[in-house]
Amino acid sequence: LLLVTITYSLKRTKNKLVRFCYYLNILIFILILLDAGVLLQKLALNRSPIDPKTLSTANWKTTLRPDVYFLVFDEYTSTSALKEEWNYENSELDSFLLNKGFRLLSNSRSNYNFTEFSMASTLNMNYLSIPNPSACTVKDYNKCYEQIRDNKVCATFASLGYQIVNYSIFDLQKNPSLVKEDFLPLRTRLITSQTLLSRIEKDLGHLVLVGKYQINLLSQNLIYRTYHNNQKIISAVLNDSNYHSNVPKFLYSHIEMPHPPFYLNRMGREKTKEEIIKNNGVSSYLEYIPPTNEVIKKIVNTIFQRTNRPFVIVLMGDHGFRLQQERRFHFRNLNSVYLSSKNYKGFYDSISNVNEFRVLMNNIFDASLPLQKDSSIFLLDKN
């Protein structure tokens, strides 16, 4: 209201306000210089990308370099947790994976309950330094994005001659994301998320999504953005298997299923906008699992049919479902692996995400990486 009043008053005044405009111009120029100085200081002192030489691969056995498919399905809970918490039977997916030769790691757990932190830890094979896990800040998130972008896993595979393929929701070094996600404060959104327009969109935006005040163009773009992003990533992963090369590849795919919004019902029918906005509970999550399983089956079958090299599939949830349940269930995630060598040495049933690639590299390259202690850290955002 104050903004509208000031704008109206300025529009009606005949005074050119030369001195006031001169003052504002000088002020904004000073603020830009100050911010530029702080930014340059942070870039020079605080940014610490992962050194690709952190892992010495000189003594690794790299005669066999299989393609590695890292397939993350966001917020996918383990079969045992689904059964224990909601008596939901997900054995059909387990049977499919077992028939394909996967090893199911049924008591796997994530190390963090937030996507950004979980992936930063997983891709760097280490725990994160978080000043206050009970009050995570934008600075903590920004550090996660840097660590994901410059992660140790991709750097190590690249040093071994692998091509890095990114079909995820995150930017990787020299491999930007295909999509833009609203829940990730990337790039300029770290700055704009606290502006007046961003806060209006967050607090009042739902009023234009459905109902008599809805704006169709806005509702289509905002409500279905994640759905279209998922489809774009799924198509990219499926199409990638058509390209054959003698160069091994590490492919990272991150699909926001069965993470909300829950776009499909159990039978795969697309929900209305009203249903998508209102239905965000456990029942909608459980309904979204069968359509997610169909995507998993399609991707896995396509890789099996089209890949002409030895390959590995790491199929994982970044964490479990986090709504209306005890904290311990937040970490119990889907985790299964396939190696065309059929050698599953090192993969243990209660593995946590931080050790996934340590075990994998030990398995396929005899890397002899020590394992971290498996533990989970519950995070909360700062109020």
Side-chain angles (χ1 to χ4, degrees):
L1 289 175
L2 181 62
L3 179 64
V4 171
T5 302
I6 292 173
T7 303
Y8 179 76
S9 300
L10 288 174
K11 193 170 183 64
R12 287 183 58 85
T13 184
K14 295 181 180 180
N15 191 333
K16 293 184 179 180
L17 304 174
V18 175
R19 290 174 61 85
F20 182 62
C21 290
Y22 184 60
Y23 160 75
L24 289 180
N25 286 335
I26 293 176
L27 179 63
I28 195 169
F29 180 71
I30 293 172
L31 292 175
I32 288 172
L33 288 178
L34 288 173
D35 274 354
V38 172
L39 184 61
L40 289 173
Q41 182 185 34
K42 286 183 179 293
L43 287 173
L45 300 179
N46 295 344
R47 188 184 173 205
S48 53
I50 303 300
D51 183 358
K53 298 179 182 178
T54 301
L55 289 183
S56 175
T57 61
N59 296 322
W60 292 15
K61 297 179 181 178
T62 57
T63 306
L64 180 66
R65 293 181 298 165
D67 290 339
V68 178
Y69 295 87
F70 182 35
L71 310 178
V72 177
F73 283 80
D74 206 296
E75 206 159 324
Y76 203 127
T77 297
S78 66
T79 295
S80 57
L82 289 170
K83 182 70 175 178
E84 184 179 338
E85 182 72 350
W86 301 296
N87 198 31
Y88 181 88
E89 189 62 62
N90 200 33
S91 57
E92 192 224 355
L93 177 65
D94 288 356
S95 298
F96 167 80
L97 295 174
L98 287 171
N99 288 335
K100 287 290 186 181
F102 277 76
R103 172 67 59 87
L104 305 185
L105 309 174
S106 55
N107 288 309
S108 169
R109 283 170 170 76
S110 65
N111 306 103
Y112 300 95
N113 54 312
F114 289 168
T115 295
E116 299 85 346
F117 296 82
S118 177
M119 296 316 303
S121 173
T122 302
L123 288 169
N124 286 292
M125 302 180 285
N126 216 335
Y127 288 95
L128 307 177
S129 175
I130 307 171
N132 187 355
S134 297
C136 296
T137 65
V138 169
K139 184 177 180 180
D140 295 323
Y141 279 87
N142 192 32
K143 188 174 181 181
C144 286
Y145 304 132
E146 289 184 1
Q147 291 176 318
I148 292 171
R149 185 189 62 229
D150 304 312
N151 74 80
K152 192 180 297 182
V153 167
C154 287
T156 301
F157 277 111
S159 72
L160 295 172
Y162 275 71
Q163 175 191 6
I164 307 301
V165 182
N166 182 23
Y167 298 137
S168 79
I169 54 179
F170 297 101
D171 288 338
L172 300 181
Q173 190 69 260
K174 300 179 182 179
N175 290 276
S177 173
L178 292 174
V179 299
K180 176 186 176 185
E181 273 301 336
D182 277 346
F183 86 96
L184 298 171
L186 296 171
R187 304 183 181 95
T188 56
R189 294 194 69 253
L190 284 167
I191 302 170
T192 63
S193 61
Q194 301 304 319
T195 61
L196 176 63
L197 291 178
S198 291
R199 286 181 173 272
I200 289 174
E201 179 184 336
K202 179 180 177 181
D203 297 336
L204 304 177
H206 64 281
L207 297 176
V208 300
L209 299 181
V210 295
K212 64 179 181 179
Y213 300 113
Q214 72 171 300
I215 301 173
N216 286 327
L217 181 61
L218 281 178
S219 64
Q220 289 292 334
N221 288 340
L222 295 176
I223 293 178
Y224 291 100
R225 176 175 289 168
T226 300
Y227 177 76
H228 295 313
N229 286 347
N230 286 339
Q231 296 306 308
K232 190 172 183 178
I233 291 173
I234 293 167
S235 295
V237 175
L238 294 173
N239 291 333
D240 188 88
S241 59
N242 286 321
Y243 303 108
H244 297 153
S245 172
N246 292 325
V247 177
K249 66 184 171 188
F250 174 81
L251 183 150
Y252 170 32
S253 166
H254 195 125
I255 298 169
E256 287 189 79
M257 296 176 74
H259 186 285
F262 307 118
Y263 293 105
L264 307 172
N265 68 7
R266 185 178 186 84
M267 305 306 296
R269 178 188 66 81
E270 190 173 306
K271 294 182 178 180
T272 64
K273 290 183 290 187
E274 290 78 10
E275 289 174 322
I276 293 169
I277 290 175
K278 292 179 182 178
N279 300 332
N280 282 307
V282 173
S283 60
S284 296
Y285 174 76
L286 298 178
E287 271 202 340
Y288 206 27
I289 289 177
T292 304
N293 289 348
E294 292 305 309
V295 173
I296 292 173
K297 292 176 187 177
K298 188 172 184 178
I299 291 176
V300 169
N301 281 330
T302 300
I303 293 172
F304 269 76
Q305 291 165 8
R306 297 179 181 174
T307 302
N308 63 347
R309 301 184 74 260
F311 65 94
V312 172
I313 299 176
V314 177
L315 176 63
M316 179 189 287
D318 56 339
H319 51 73
F321 188 54
R322 301 170 298 188
L323 184 65
Q324 301 171 359
Q325 58 177 324
E326 297 176 31
R327 287 185 176 185
R328 61 191 178 95
F329 286 102
H330 292 214
F331 303 98
R332 294 177 62 176
N333 62 322
L334 167 74
N335 195 342
S336 58
V337 293
Y338 174 85
L339 289 89
S340 55
S341 66
K342 301 297 191 298
N343 172 22
Y344 293 100
K345 180 182 177 181
F347 286 98
Y348 54 101
D349 189 61
S350 59
I351 193 171
S352 70
N353 293 10
V354 73
N355 281 320
E356 193 83 12
F357 283 100
R358 288 177 177 266
V359 172
L360 180 63
M361 290 179 182
N362 289 344
N363 181 294
I364 60 180
F365 301 128
D366 287 337
S368 299
L369 298 175
L371 300 188
Q372 301 276 13
K373 182 181 178 180
D374 292 309
S375 63
S376 298
I377 302 162
F378 191 82
L379 301 176
L380 291 170
D381 282 328
K382 185 177 181 179
N383 291 329

